[in-house]
PDB file of all heavy atoms in Angstrom:
ATOM      1  N   GLU A 885     -20.791 -10.761  25.500  1.00 96.00           N
ATOM      2  CA  GLU A 885     -21.271 -10.336  26.802  1.00 96.00           C
ATOM      3  C   GLU A 885     -21.976 -11.471  27.555  1.00 96.00           C
ATOM      4  O   GLU A 885     -21.675 -11.671  28.769  1.00 96.00           O
ATOM      5  CB  GLU A 885     -22.289  -9.197  26.611  1.00 96.00           C
ATOM      6  CG  GLU A 885     -21.675  -7.952  26.153  1.00 96.00           C
ATOM      7  CD  GLU A 885     -22.751  -6.840  25.718  1.00 96.00           C
ATOM      8  OE1 GLU A 885     -23.898  -7.155  25.938  1.00 96.00           O
ATOM      9  OE2 GLU A 885     -22.310  -5.728  25.337  1.00 96.00           O
ATOM     10  N   LEU A 886     -22.766 -12.225  26.914  1.00 96.00           N
ATOM     11  CA  LEU A 886     -23.471 -13.357  27.561  1.00 96.00           C
ATOM     12  C   LEU A 886     -22.489 -14.385  28.005  1.00 96.00           C
ATOM     13  O   LEU A 886     -22.585 -15.063  29.089  1.00 96.00           O
ATOM     14  CB  LEU A 886     -24.506 -13.909  26.656  1.00 96.00           C
ATOM     15  CG  LEU A 886     -25.813 -13.131  26.478  1.00 96.00           C
ATOM     16  CD1 LEU A 886     -26.736 -13.772  25.371  1.00 96.00           C
ATOM     17  CD2 LEU A 886     -26.515 -12.887  27.689  1.00 96.00           C
ATOM     18  N   SER A 887     -21.428 -14.648  27.165  1.00 95.00           N
ATOM     19  CA  SER A 887     -20.512 -15.694  27.490  1.00 95.00           C
ATOM     20  C   SER A 887     -19.782 -15.176  28.812  1.00 95.00           C
ATOM     21  O   SER A 887     -19.533 -16.074  29.716  1.00 95.00           O
ATOM     22  CB  SER A 887     -19.451 -15.840  26.336  1.00 95.00           C
ATOM     23  OG  SER A 887     -18.523 -16.682  26.717  1.00 95.00           O
ATOM     24  N   PHE A 888     -19.448 -13.953  28.896  1.00 96.00           N
ATOM     25  CA  PHE A 888     -18.719 -13.389  29.985  1.00 96.00           C
ATOM     26  C   PHE A 888     -19.637 -13.525  31.283  1.00 96.00           C
ATOM     27  O   PHE A 888     -19.183 -13.849  32.260  1.00 96.00           O
ATOM     28  CB  PHE A 888     -18.366 -12.016  29.760  1.00 96.00           C
ATOM     29  CG  PHE A 888     -17.647 -11.307  30.906  1.00 96.00           C
ATOM     30  CD1 PHE A 888     -16.381 -11.663  31.321  1.00 96.00           C
ATOM     31  CD2 PHE A 888     -18.381 -10.428  31.781  1.00 96.00           C
ATOM     32  CE1 PHE A 888     -15.753 -11.047  32.394  1.00 96.00           C
ATOM     33  CE2 PHE A 888     -17.766  -9.806  32.855  1.00 96.00           C
ATOM     34  CZ  PHE A 888     -16.404 -10.132  33.170  1.00 96.00           C
ATOM     35  N   GLU A 889     -20.883 -13.172  31.043  1.00 96.00           N
ATOM     36  CA  GLU A 889     -21.907 -13.137  32.221  1.00 96.00           C
ATOM     37  C   GLU A 889     -22.087 -14.587  32.733  1.00 96.00           C
ATOM     38  O   GLU A 889     -22.191 -14.853  33.891  1.00 96.00           O
ATOM     39  CB  GLU A 889     -23.271 -12.591  31.789  1.00 96.00           C
ATOM     40  CG  GLU A 889     -23.210 -11.037  31.608  1.00 96.00           C
ATOM     41  CD  GLU A 889     -24.505 -10.499  31.101  1.00 96.00           C
ATOM     42  OE1 GLU A 889     -25.531 -11.230  31.044  1.00 96.00           O
ATOM     43  OE2 GLU A 889     -24.530  -9.318  30.681  1.00 96.00           O
ATOM     44  N   ILE A 890     -22.172 -15.596  31.751  1.00 95.00           N
ATOM     45  CA  ILE A 890     -22.227 -16.941  32.143  1.00 95.00           C
ATOM     46  C   ILE A 890     -21.033 -17.293  32.950  1.00 95.00           C
ATOM     47  O   ILE A 890     -21.160 -18.023  33.951  1.00 95.00           O
ATOM     48  CB  ILE A 890     -22.516 -17.850  30.896  1.00 95.00           C
ATOM     49  CG1 ILE A 890     -23.843 -17.561  30.355  1.00 95.00           C
ATOM     50  CG2 ILE A 890     -22.272 -19.322  31.257  1.00 95.00           C
ATOM     51  CD1 ILE A 890     -24.132 -18.230  28.979  1.00 95.00           C
ATOM     52  N   LYS A 891     -19.885 -17.034  32.442  1.00 94.00           N
ATOM     53  CA  LYS A 891     -18.622 -17.483  33.142  1.00 94.00           C
ATOM     54  C   LYS A 891     -18.581 -16.784  34.473  1.00 94.00           C
ATOM     55  O   LYS A 891     -18.275 -17.423  35.487  1.00 94.00           O
ATOM     56  CB  LYS A 891     -17.398 -16.985  32.263  1.00 94.00           C
ATOM     57  CG  LYS A 891     -16.093 -17.533  32.702  1.00 94.00           C
ATOM     58  CD  LYS A 891     -14.916 -16.981  31.949  1.00 94.00           C
ATOM     59  CE  LYS A 891     -15.054 -17.508  30.570  1.00 94.00           C
ATOM     60  NZ  LYS A 891     -13.834 -17.063  29.696  1.00 94.00           N
ATOM     61  N   THR A 892     -18.955 -15.548  34.596  1.00 95.00           N
ATOM     62  CA  THR A 892     -18.925 -14.829  35.895  1.00 95.00           C
ATOM     63  C   THR A 892     -19.992 -15.428  36.833  1.00 95.00           C
ATOM     64  O   THR A 892     -19.713 -15.634  37.957  1.00 95.00           O
ATOM     65  CB  THR A 892     -19.232 -13.310  35.681  1.00 95.00           C
ATOM     66  OG1 THR A 892     -18.249 -12.815  34.819  1.00 95.00           O
ATOM     67  CG2 THR A 892     -19.268 -12.554  36.959  1.00 95.00           C
ATOM     68  N   GLY A 893     -21.152 -15.751  36.139  1.00 94.00           N
ATOM     69  CA  GLY A 893     -22.176 -16.361  37.073  1.00 94.00           C
ATOM     70  C   GLY A 893     -21.797 -17.766  37.533  1.00 94.00           C
ATOM     71  O   GLY A 893     -22.101 -18.067  38.721  1.00 94.00           O
ATOM     72  N   LYS A 894     -21.077 -18.504  36.764  1.00 93.00           N
ATOM     73  CA  LYS A 894     -20.643 -19.890  37.280  1.00 93.00           C
ATOM     74  C   LYS A 894     -19.679 -19.629  38.391  1.00 93.00           C
ATOM     75  O   LYS A 894     -19.646 -20.447  39.341  1.00 93.00           O
ATOM     76  CB  LYS A 894     -20.047 -20.595  36.112  1.00 93.00           C
ATOM     77  CG  LYS A 894     -21.084 -21.239  35.119  1.00 93.00           C
ATOM     78  CD  LYS A 894     -20.458 -21.976  34.042  1.00 93.00           C
ATOM     79  CE  LYS A 894     -21.593 -22.562  33.072  1.00 93.00           C
ATOM     80  NZ  LYS A 894     -21.003 -23.351  32.022  1.00 93.00           N
ATOM     81  N   SER A 895     -18.782 -18.662  38.232  1.00 93.00           N
ATOM     82  CA  SER A 895     -17.756 -18.351  39.256  1.00 93.00           C
ATOM     83  C   SER A 895     -18.500 -17.975  40.477  1.00 93.00           C
ATOM     84  O   SER A 895     -18.065 -18.420  41.576  1.00 93.00           O
ATOM     85  CB  SER A 895     -16.842 -17.266  38.759  1.00 93.00           C
ATOM     86  OG  SER A 895     -15.966 -16.862  39.772  1.00 93.00           O
ATOM     87  N   GLU A 896     -19.506 -17.095  40.469  1.00 95.00           N
ATOM     88  CA  GLU A 896     -20.234 -16.690  41.623  1.00 95.00           C
ATOM     89  C   GLU A 896     -20.929 -17.861  42.254  1.00 95.00           C
ATOM     90  O   GLU A 896     -21.002 -17.937  43.442  1.00 95.00           O
ATOM     91  CB  GLU A 896     -21.138 -15.542  41.174  1.00 95.00           C
ATOM     92  CG  GLU A 896     -20.589 -14.257  40.922  1.00 95.00           C
ATOM     93  CD  GLU A 896     -21.593 -13.164  40.503  1.00 95.00           C
ATOM     94  OE1 GLU A 896     -22.808 -13.443  40.399  1.00 95.00           O
ATOM     95  OE2 GLU A 896     -21.061 -12.085  40.165  1.00 95.00           O
ATOM     96  N   VAL A 897     -21.476 -18.740  41.400  1.00 95.00           N
ATOM     97  CA  VAL A 897     -22.226 -19.926  41.995  1.00 95.00           C
ATOM     98  C   VAL A 897     -21.162 -20.764  42.824  1.00 95.00           C
ATOM     99  O   VAL A 897     -21.500 -21.201  43.910  1.00 95.00           O
ATOM    100  CB  VAL A 897     -22.713 -20.761  40.858  1.00 95.00           C
ATOM    101  CG1 VAL A 897     -23.187 -22.129  41.353  1.00 95.00           C
ATOM    102  CG2 VAL A 897     -23.978 -20.031  40.231  1.00 95.00           C
ATOM    103  N   ALA A 898     -19.950 -20.956  42.308  1.00 92.00           N
ATOM    104  CA  ALA A 898     -18.944 -21.755  43.028  1.00 92.00           C
ATOM    105  C   ALA A 898     -18.603 -21.036  44.296  1.00 92.00           C
ATOM    106  O   ALA A 898     -18.523 -21.685  45.362  1.00 92.00           O
ATOM    107  CB  ALA A 898     -17.778 -21.981  42.119  1.00 92.00           C
ATOM    108  N   GLU A 899     -18.402 -19.712  44.265  1.00 94.00           N
ATOM    109  CA  GLU A 899     -18.117 -19.007  45.517  1.00 94.00           C
ATOM    110  C   GLU A 899     -19.232 -19.084  46.498  1.00 94.00           C
ATOM    111  O   GLU A 899     -19.043 -19.239  47.659  1.00 94.00           O
ATOM    112  CB  GLU A 899     -17.812 -17.477  45.145  1.00 94.00           C
ATOM    113  CG  GLU A 899     -16.518 -17.326  44.402  1.00 94.00           C
ATOM    114  CD  GLU A 899     -16.385 -15.816  43.950  1.00 94.00           C
ATOM    115  OE1 GLU A 899     -17.114 -15.020  44.420  1.00 94.00           O
ATOM    116  OE2 GLU A 899     -15.520 -15.548  43.170  1.00 94.00           O
ATOM    117  N   LEU A 900     -20.458 -18.901  46.065  1.00 95.00           N
ATOM    118  CA  LEU A 900     -21.599 -18.982  46.855  1.00 95.00           C
ATOM    119  C   LEU A 900     -21.793 -20.332  47.502  1.00 95.00           C
ATOM    120  O   LEU A 900     -22.262 -20.483  48.637  1.00 95.00           O
ATOM    121  CB  LEU A 900     -22.991 -18.504  46.199  1.00 95.00           C
ATOM    122  CG  LEU A 900     -22.847 -17.029  45.857  1.00 95.00           C
ATOM    123  CD1 LEU A 900     -24.125 -16.647  44.940  1.00 95.00           C
ATOM    124  CD2 LEU A 900     -22.908 -16.116  47.071  1.00 95.00           C
ATOM    125  N   GLU A 901     -21.566 -21.378  46.662  1.00 95.00           N
ATOM    126  CA  GLU A 901     -21.678 -22.787  47.184  1.00 95.00           C
ATOM    127  C   GLU A 901     -20.657 -23.016  48.302  1.00 95.00           C
ATOM    128  O   GLU A 901     -20.922 -23.613  49.282  1.00 95.00           O
ATOM    129  CB  GLU A 901     -21.601 -23.771  46.077  1.00 95.00           C
ATOM    130  CG  GLU A 901     -22.786 -23.831  45.071  1.00 95.00           C
ATOM    131  CD  GLU A 901     -22.597 -24.795  44.052  1.00 95.00           C
ATOM    132  OE1 GLU A 901     -21.428 -25.178  43.671  1.00 95.00           O
ATOM    133  OE2 GLU A 901     -23.614 -25.219  43.439  1.00 95.00           O
ATOM    134  N   ALA A 902     -19.415 -22.429  48.047  1.00 94.00           N
ATOM    135  CA  ALA A 902     -18.366 -22.569  49.064  1.00 94.00           C
ATOM    136  C   ALA A 902     -18.858 -21.830  50.324  1.00 94.00           C
ATOM    137  O   ALA A 902     -18.662 -22.398  51.521  1.00 94.00           O
ATOM    138  CB  ALA A 902     -17.050 -22.070  48.574  1.00 94.00           C
ATOM    139  N   THR A 903     -19.379 -20.624  50.231  1.00 95.00           N
ATOM    140  CA  THR A 903     -19.852 -19.883  51.353  1.00 95.00           C
ATOM    141  C   THR A 903     -21.020 -20.629  52.062  1.00 95.00           C
ATOM    142  O   THR A 903     -21.041 -20.632  53.333  1.00 95.00           O
ATOM    143  CB  THR A 903     -20.347 -18.527  50.898  1.00 95.00           C
ATOM    144  OG1 THR A 903     -19.300 -17.838  50.246  1.00 95.00           O
ATOM    145  CG2 THR A 903     -20.821 -17.689  52.075  1.00 95.00           C
ATOM    146  N   ILE A 904     -21.908 -21.262  51.296  1.00 96.00           N
ATOM    147  CA  ILE A 904     -22.973 -22.032  51.901  1.00 96.00           C
ATOM    148  C   ILE A 904     -22.307 -23.175  52.751  1.00 96.00           C
ATOM    149  O   ILE A 904     -22.840 -23.454  53.887  1.00 96.00           O
ATOM    150  CB  ILE A 904     -23.981 -22.486  50.829  1.00 96.00           C
ATOM    151  CG1 ILE A 904     -24.802 -21.289  50.332  1.00 96.00           C
ATOM    152  CG2 ILE A 904     -24.868 -23.570  51.394  1.00 96.00           C
ATOM    153  CD1 ILE A 904     -25.590 -21.651  49.178  1.00 96.00           C
ATOM    154  N   ASP A 905     -21.458 -23.943  52.158  1.00 95.00           N
ATOM    155  CA  ASP A 905     -20.845 -24.973  52.866  1.00 95.00           C
ATOM    156  C   ASP A 905     -20.197 -24.520  54.134  1.00 95.00           C
ATOM    157  O   ASP A 905     -20.239 -25.186  55.232  1.00 95.00           O
ATOM    158  CB  ASP A 905     -19.829 -25.713  51.964  1.00 95.00           C
ATOM    159  CG  ASP A 905     -20.564 -26.517  50.820  1.00 95.00           C
ATOM    160  OD1 ASP A 905     -21.780 -26.722  50.919  1.00 95.00           O
ATOM    161  OD2 ASP A 905     -19.767 -26.770  49.830  1.00 95.00           O
ATOM    162  N   GLU A 906     -19.432 -23.388  54.027  1.00 95.00           N
ATOM    163  CA  GLU A 906     -18.716 -22.873  55.212  1.00 95.00           C
ATOM    164  C   GLU A 906     -19.750 -22.433  56.254  1.00 95.00           C
ATOM    165  O   GLU A 906     -19.523 -22.814  57.533  1.00 95.00           O
ATOM    166  CB  GLU A 906     -17.901 -21.669  54.719  1.00 95.00           C
ATOM    167  CG  GLU A 906     -17.136 -20.959  55.828  1.00 95.00           C
ATOM    168  CD  GLU A 906     -16.480 -19.696  55.225  1.00 95.00           C
ATOM    169  OE1 GLU A 906     -15.887 -19.717  54.284  1.00 95.00           O
ATOM    170  OE2 GLU A 906     -16.557 -18.660  55.974  1.00 95.00           O
ATOM    171  N   GLN A 907     -20.778 -21.760  55.865  1.00 95.00           N
ATOM    172  CA  GLN A 907     -21.859 -21.383  56.838  1.00 95.00           C
ATOM    173  C   GLN A 907     -22.532 -22.492  57.449  1.00 95.00           C
ATOM    174  O   GLN A 907     -23.032 -22.514  58.606  1.00 95.00           O
ATOM    175  CB  GLN A 907     -22.737 -20.249  56.200  1.00 95.00           C
ATOM    176  CG  GLN A 907     -22.044 -19.006  55.828  1.00 95.00           C
ATOM    177  CD  GLN A 907     -21.371 -18.325  56.968  1.00 95.00           C
ATOM    178  OE1 GLN A 907     -21.811 -18.227  58.117  1.00 95.00           O
ATOM    179  NE2 GLN A 907     -20.132 -17.731  56.795  1.00 95.00           N
ATOM    180  N   SER A 908     -22.780 -23.515  56.684  1.00 94.00           N
ATOM    181  CA  SER A 908     -23.447 -24.753  57.155  1.00 94.00           C
ATOM    182  C   SER A 908     -22.640 -25.397  58.221  1.00 94.00           C
ATOM    183  O   SER A 908     -23.169 -25.915  59.250  1.00 94.00           O
ATOM    184  CB  SER A 908     -23.844 -25.739  56.030  1.00 94.00           C
ATOM    185  OG  SER A 908     -24.644 -25.123  55.077  1.00 94.00           O
TER     186      SER A 908
END
Side-chain angles (χ1 to χ4, degrees):
E885 290 171 2
L886 288 176
S887 177
F888 178 74
E889 288 176 13
I890 289 170
K891 192 183 294 183
T892 303
K894 286 181 179 180
S895 172
E896 288 177 1
V897 166
E899 290 175 11
L900 292 173
E901 285 177 346
T903 302
I904 288 171
D905 291 342
E906 179 183 315
Q907 296 301 322
S908 294

